[in-house]
Amino acid sequence: MLLSFPVQFATGFVLLLAVTLVPLWGVYFWQKMDINSINSLYGITICFTLTSIVLQRLIQYPGTTQVAYVLPVTSLIYGLLLFFYLVSRIDYSNQIVIKSYAVTLSWCYAEYFLSNRFRVIRFAVVPFGTAKQLPEAHGAIFIPIGKRPELPDTMIHAITADLGSASLTPEWERFLARCTLNGIPVYHVKQVREAITGRVRIDHLSENAFGSLQPSTAYSFIKRIADVLGAVLLIVLTLPIVATIALLIRLESPGPVIFKQRRLGFRGKPFTMLKLRSMRTNIDGEKFTSGIDDPRITNVGRVIRKFRIDELPQLLNIVKGDMSFIGPRPEALELSAWYEKDVPFFAYRHIVRPGISGWAQVELGYAAEIDGMKIKLEYDFYYIKNFSFWLDILITFKTVKTILTGFGAR
């Protein structure tokens, strides 16, 4: 209970008020505050609430730790507050806002270290079927149950079992039913594996009915509007950068500035994807790049690929409706035809618009072989199954990190 979100939020908010308002106005601060402090109180309340909610939602996804997002999330939200104050010309207290920012940062970091130390989920594993093959994971401990349907002596939070296993006898089923009645949640092994790996298994159709992978129509519509508005704004802001890079490309090597390639897109329809050219056009060799050491990559190309600047022309693809900011990365027509012969359900990834960045790109990177493509497709299916605003926000943060640092670029 002490580590639950409501308790931690309430404790943090009381600490926020105690540090920012009580020293200025006393314990009964609400009776004495001036207009600047009142406006600031409204602002810092909203910022602390939004920061807490956003961090809580982001850490629900696999491989995501709160410590990596405390600084960017808090800074972004408080930056928007200051921008609002400046634009609206509302009076506010610099002292209160700055103190609030420091308290929010400190509390969120402290919350992470407390949670990292004590909030470890302990699963009791029923020793049948695929449940015995669960991978190790940060924040989770798997404790195997013996041959008899009895709980282990140590404390556990939940039970996981392969509910489709033929070895699950009526005795074990009664045991799982009793656990559920006593408040111990029982999860199918597939749910736990997806939560740990961020991937959806695609070996058999029965494991993932098409209905469970159907993305939200309402969110798709909202996302499309946000894509168009964001793309138009970025086209205006990045036009000088694109023009400068285009000039450097022409000076370094002959050939067109824009590289065009046919890709398979939304609902399986081909489209022409645009990129700033990063490779020489007068060198014969493999048709697809083999990595960062490919000899065909130019000096300018190596830089723009590292920071994803070569993707900027795809903003036009977004405006046209061919792509989205976030989604499964579109594959070349030749590769798509190759994958469809060997990878089950490959075409289903086209149920959402392809993206400039996606869950597979930020978690895995580029995969061009069949085995790697199967794993990449599992990430894509996880994105489709969990298609939501919060997952898009998480991918956006991870993508921005790659753009600013170059780390993880291929």
Side-chain angles (χ1 to χ4, degrees):
M1 290 180 62
L2 292 176
L3 293 175
S4 66
F5 175 74
V7 172
Q8 290 196 346
F9 175 81
T11 305
F13 187 68
V14 171
L15 178 65
L16 179 74
L17 298 180
V19 173
T20 57
L21 295 178
V22 172
L24 289 175
W25 304 102
V27 177
Y28 301 101
F29 56 84
W30 58 87
Q31 299 176 354
K32 308 173 183 178
M33 291 191 302
D34 56 21
I35 188 62
N36 291 1
S37 298
I38 293 175
N39 291 337
S40 301
L41 175 61
Y42 290 145
I44 65 175
T45 300
I46 294 172
C47 285
F48 183 81
T49 303
L50 285 178
T51 301
S52 301
I53 292 174
V54 170
L55 290 174
Q56 177 69 17
R57 296 303 297 266
L58 292 183
I59 63 174
Q60 294 178 359
Y61 294 104
T64 304
T65 56
Q66 179 172 319
V67 68
Y69 300 98
V70 169
L71 181 59
V73 170
T74 307
S75 300
L76 176 62
I77 292 176
Y78 273 88
L80 291 175
L81 174 66
L82 292 176
F83 178 76
F84 171 76
Y85 282 149
L86 292 174
V87 171
S88 61
R89 298 181 180 275
I90 293 177
D91 294 327
Y92 69 98
S93 169
N94 280 323
Q95 182 180 357
I96 291 177
V97 173
I98 293 173
K99 281 187 177 181
S100 170
Y101 174 73
V103 170
T104 303
L105 271 181
S106 303
W107 177 249
C108 289
Y109 279 121
E111 183 183 17
Y112 162 74
F113 288 113
L114 285 172
S115 300
N116 193 50
R117 173 64 178 84
F118 297 107
R119 189 186 292 162
V120 178
I121 303 176
R122 303 170 68 88
F123 288 95
V125 181
V126 175
F128 299 120
T130 58
K132 297 184 294 184
Q133 305 169 4
L134 283 169
E136 296 183 2
H138 174 74
I141 297 176
F142 298 104
I143 304 168
I145 300 176
K147 295 181 179 180
R148 295 181 56 80
E150 297 176 352
L151 290 176
D153 295 334
T154 184
M155 182 186 69
I156 65 164
H157 300 102
I159 296 175
T160 181
D162 185 350
L163 300 179
S165 173
S167 302
L168 204 62
T169 64
E171 184 181 12
W172 278 96
E173 291 177 347
R174 285 191 290 270
F175 165 73
L176 294 177
R178 289 196 304 271
C179 290
T180 303
L181 292 175
N182 282 277
I184 303 175
V186 177
Y187 297 104
H188 184 31
V189 62
K190 182 171 70 69
Q191 295 174 281
V192 177
R193 184 184 292 110
E194 290 179 11
I196 290 172
T197 64
R199 294 154 49 186
V200 170
R201 292 286 294 273
I202 55 174
D203 295 336
H204 304 287
L205 176 61
S206 60
E207 293 185 10
N208 294 288
F210 283 147
S212 68
L213 295 175
Q214 184 70 34
S216 167
T217 303
Y219 179 61
S220 297
F221 177 75
I222 296 172
K223 183 179 180 181
R224 175 64 188 146
I225 295 176
D227 280 338
V228 173
L229 295 177
V232 171
L233 177 62
L234 286 177
I235 287 173
V236 175
L237 295 177
T238 60
L239 189 59
I241 299 175
V242 173
T244 302
I245 297 297
L247 178 60
L248 294 176
I249 291 173
R250 290 301 301 269
L251 291 175
E252 183 178 13
S253 64
V257 170
I258 300 295
F259 172 74
K260 300 179 181 180
Q261 188 178 47
R262 296 289 287 173
R263 302 260 178 145
L264 208 57
F266 186 44
R267 295 177 179 171
K269 297 179 180 178
F271 72 99
T272 302
M273 193 183 76
L274 308 176
K275 297 179 71 172
L276 288 170
R277 181 172 60 84
S278 59
M279 303 176 70
R280 295 181 178 85
T281 58
N282 59 346
I283 295 181
D284 296 328
E286 297 180 4
K287 191 164 187 178
F288 302 103
T289 181
S290 58
I292 57 175
D293 295 325
D294 193 312
R296 298 169 296 168
I297 299 177
T298 63
N299 293 326
V300 173
R302 189 164 286 105
V303 174
I304 64 176
R305 288 167 70 95
K306 182 177 181 180
F307 296 99
R308 304 287 178 90
I309 300 174
D310 60 325
E311 313 281 0
L312 286 177
Q314 289 164 37
L315 295 172
L316 296 174
N317 288 121
I318 293 177
V319 174
K320 290 172 59 180
D322 298 328
M323 297 179 66
S324 172
F325 278 106
I326 305 296
R329 189 68 180 156
E331 298 292 345
L333 294 182
E334 297 87 343
L335 282 176
S336 297
W338 180 36
Y339 293 144
E340 287 190 14
K341 295 179 181 179
D342 298 279
V343 180
F345 321 131
F346 176 83
Y348 196 77
R349 73 196 297 269
H350 303 133
I351 196 170
V352 296
R353 281 185 173 83
I356 295 178
S357 184
W359 182 241
Q361 277 64 47
V362 297
E363 291 295 306
L364 180 67
Y366 181 80
E369 299 297 333
I370 285 296
D371 291 340
M373 187 60 205
K374 287 182 179 179
I375 297 176
K376 182 179 178 182
L377 193 57
E378 291 178 358
Y379 281 111
D380 288 339
F381 272 34
Y382 180 89
Y383 173 77
I384 295 170
K385 187 174 183 179
N386 296 275
F387 186 69
S388 65
F389 169 78
W390 294 109
L391 185 53
D392 280 348
I393 289 295
L394 176 59
I395 295 171
T396 301
F397 273 118
K398 287 176 175 278
T399 303
V400 170
K401 177 184 176 182
T402 299
I403 293 173
L404 294 179
T405 66
F407 180 78
R410 303 295 180 102

